[in-house]
Amino acid sequence: MRIPNPAPSSFTLKWRSALAAFALALAGCSSTAVSTAGPAQYPKNIIILFADGAASTQWDFGRYSSKVLRQQPFVTTDVVFKEGALGLLNTQPSNAYVVDSAASASAMSTGHKVNNFVVAITPDGKSVPTAMEVAKARGKRIGLVTTATVYDATPAAFSLHAGTRDDSQGLVDQYLALEPDVLMGGGADYFLPAGTPGGKRKDGKDVIAAFRAKGYQVVRSTAELKSAAGAKLLGLFADDDMDFELDRDSGKEPTTAEMAAAAMRALSQQSPNGFVLLVENENVDTAGHNNDVASLMRALWAFDDAVRVALEFQRRNPDTLLIVTGDHETGGFSPTYAAKDLSSLSRKNRFYSGDEHVRMLEPITMSLSKARETLGRKPSGEALDQLLARHFPGFTLDADLRELILKQRTVERSFSYITPNALGRMVARQTGYYWGTSGHTTEPSVVGAIGPGAELFRGYQDNTDFGKHLHRLITGK
Ligand SMILES: [Zn+2]
């Protein structure tokens, strides 16, 4: 049952009216047996917004924290999931129950299961066509945007092939051959030769120069991105991964939304057959690995700002299919109730995480990645105290967690990142934002879709079904 909002914001009203026609169109078509029935219409453009490591708990936390702290709707849940077609994906790879990002994105890009850490090659050694290869072959323009390195597992598996996701230099070479019209993110290191600033390539090649020679406009900062007018764009904003929102230098590194907007601008030029664009926020996953709820919150907001930009594009271009999804859950994220301390486990000594707890996240001014980097491998007690006082106001580090950090010891085999995981537990004890692991879990991924073909994604499906639908929608078959 949907309870009407007594005072819908003008934003909500705007989207409601914009999407009314779409809802009517959906009501008219049968949505059962979606895997076998063809879509009612084929989209010209497809925009996939992808939050690595996000499943339903993360999405709902985005909604909740955005409402309490930003006083604004979280469009992923409040528009795309609510008004569009909604589905779940099981994420199991070929060779395990728990998936990594390469295997998951490979399934979603190719429609085939692969082993963990493999990029779009099946266990019998076949390179199966990726979504971007298929799109390119159909004359569509293609774009890949990420806050990770551009050769990271997700963008790689949507376009390329490799026996292992760690073949960074080989993946960059494949990008040069594939020529995606837009390629943006971090990872300048494997575009530049070792010995030059930030360069790591072992063959002495300058691949940035090679892209420029193929007619690409190359942008290296936020200002350059904003003034970019080219139809083919290479944007490299960091040597390695781009920074967390909490640590980001806005002059150097653009937001996910700024990159998404620039990608749509570039891809809609000279585009008679439309385009396929993947926009990934990787910081959602990295924050999960670190058990860093403050960074997770800001990464989800940054991602949602990009969804908002894509929804605006979709509204102006209704022949566009917009998909919001993720590949797996990261961190076993568990907002919960807990005892205030160990003096008593009775209900009287318990708190239920609520508004005053999420408000405690707002004054945090450093990611747990940056905290680890700042403290180094042998943290001193003094440096730790100073860092906490400055960047984590209101938080107290208990003696047991302090010892873990100073001695660099973990308490459990499923927690691999000592300093971030211990500081994550410090935050959890005072806010109720607990975590079950520093790894991935099997919670199904969520898919929300709006636009032509959206109904294919409805219901509980396998992540390979996502890939099959994508191929069908791209090829029009
Ligand atoms: Zn991950």
Side-chain angles (χ1 to χ4, degrees):
M1 189 178 77
R2 247 178 70 201
I3 299 161
N5 186 337
S9 67
S10 62
F11 177 81
T12 313
L13 283 173
K14 202 167 73 180
W15 281 113
R16 289 230 170 108
S17 59
L19 294 165
F22 169 72
L24 279 174
L26 267 193
C29 70
S30 158
S31 62
T32 50
V34 284
S35 317
T36 49
Q41 283 172 280
Y42 292 92
K44 180 182 179 192
N45 309 308
I46 301 179
I47 303 172
I48 306 161
L49 293 128
F50 200 99
D52 201 293
S56 55
T57 319
Q58 280 80 5
W59 295 129
D60 196 67
F61 175 61
R63 177 200 64 76
Y64 170 70
S65 58
S66 191
K67 192 174 102 198
V68 177
L69 298 178
R70 294 177 108 188
Q71 287 92 41
Q72 69 177 55
F74 190 69
V75 295
T76 297
T77 50
D78 299 351
V79 179
V80 181
F81 291 179
K82 229 174 234 178
E83 315 278 357
L86 188 66
L88 293 176
L89 301 177
N90 116 49
T91 66
Q92 189 175 359
S94 304
N95 62 341
Y97 181 33
V98 177
V99 79
D100 94 305
S101 288
S104 196
S106 293
M108 295 172 79
S109 153
T110 69
H112 294 269
K113 291 283 188 200
V114 312
N115 289 343
N116 280 338
F117 310 114
V118 176
V119 178
I121 299 176
T122 56
D124 57 0
K126 267 193 216 120
S127 283
V128 276
T130 60
M132 292 300 176
E133 286 174 326
V134 171
K136 182 122 190 161
R138 298 294 296 190
K140 288 188 183 288
R141 306 194 76 220
I142 58 173
L144 298 141
V145 171
T146 181
T147 63
T149 62
V150 294
Y151 50 80
D152 197 42
T154 307
F158 268 85
S159 37
L160 315 172
H161 306 271
T164 164
R165 59 185 282 180
D166 298 332
D167 182 14
S168 308
Q169 184 172 311
L171 289 166
V172 167
D173 292 340
Q174 288 186 50
Y175 276 131
L176 184 63
L178 178 69
E179 294 186 35
D181 302 285
V182 169
L183 186 60
M184 257 189 250
D189 50 2
Y190 281 99
F191 285 74
L192 294 170
T196 63
K200 282 190 186 163
R201 288 186 69 91
K202 296 187 181 81
D203 60 3
K205 280 188 193 153
D206 179 345
V207 183
I208 293 180
F211 268 94
R212 207 177 265 122
K214 286 190 172 200
Y216 282 76
Q217 183 173 2
V218 177
V219 291
R220 301 299 307 272
S221 69
T222 307
E224 284 179 13
L225 177 70
K226 284 192 175 160
S227 60
K232 292 180 86 166
L233 220 50
L234 173 67
L236 294 170
F237 306 106
D239 291 337
D240 197 344
D241 287 339
M242 290 171 69
D243 279 332
F244 282 99
E245 280 302 302
L246 281 172
D247 313 321
R248 187 173 62 89
D249 173 345
S250 59
K252 277 191 196 146
E253 298 189 9
T255 62
T256 311
E258 286 165 345
M259 290 195 289
M264 287 170 219
R265 228 169 30 234
L267 290 171
S268 12
Q269 297 177 38
Q270 303 156 25
S271 178
N273 302 319
F275 64 81
V276 178
L277 168 64
L278 174 81
V279 177
E280 182 195 35
N281 187 299
E282 175 70 16
N283 289 335
V284 173
D285 176 67
T286 314
H289 285 292
N290 286 337
N291 300 170
D292 184 350
V293 65
S295 291
L296 170 68
M297 179 172 84
R298 306 226 178 230
L300 287 166
W301 294 351
F303 176 81
D304 200 59
D305 292 343
V307 177
R308 194 176 287 250
V309 168
L311 268 169
E312 279 158 14
F313 181 92
Q314 203 271 340
R315 195 182 44 154
R316 289 194 310 272
N317 302 274
D319 51 0
T320 300
L321 171 64
L322 172 65
I323 304 172
V324 180
T325 191
D327 49 355
H328 55 71
E329 198 274 346
T330 304
F333 182 46
S334 305
T336 189
Y337 59 75
K340 291 177 191 157
D341 53 53
L342 293 178
S343 64
S344 158
L345 297 178
S346 74
R347 197 186 288 173
K348 275 194 191 139
N349 193 38
R350 190 187 285 169
F351 71 96
Y352 279 69
S353 193
D355 293 2
E356 80 246 51
H357 304 103
V358 81
R359 285 189 211 288
M360 289 183 71
L361 306 180
E362 211 169 22
I364 294 176
T365 52
M366 183 185 265
S367 75
L368 297 184
S369 280
K370 188 86 177 173
R372 174 179 53 185
E373 215 178 285
T374 308
L375 292 169
R377 283 165 190 233
K378 286 186 184 160
S380 79
E382 203 190 343
L384 179 57
D385 292 337
Q386 277 172 8
L387 182 139
L388 291 176
R390 179 139 181 239
H391 296 287
F392 298 83
F395 287 92
T396 312
L397 186 64
D398 293 336
D400 59 329
L401 298 174
R402 184 184 174 83
E403 192 178 316
L404 292 179
I405 295 172
L406 296 181
K407 294 197 173 149
Q408 288 291 289
R409 267 195 311 110
T410 184
V411 274
E412 193 42 81
R413 297 171 197 198
S414 56
F415 289 95
S416 317
Y417 309 103
I418 294 169
T419 302
N421 293 167
L423 292 176
R425 186 54 62 95
M426 168 190 79
V427 172
R429 286 178 182 174
Q430 284 176 255
T431 61
Y433 290 104
Y434 279 84
W435 301 82
T437 175
S438 67
H440 299 169
T441 75
T442 60
E443 184 178 335
S445 296
V446 183
V447 185
I450 284 185
E455 68 274 16
L456 286 178
F457 298 92
R458 207 182 281 282
Y460 185 81
Q461 305 191 25
D462 191 78
N463 60 0
T464 54
D465 292 327
F466 181 97
K468 286 170 193 157
H469 300 328
L470 211 49
H471 284 227
R472 180 190 265 176
L473 291 168
I474 292 168
T475 59
K477 283 185 203 152

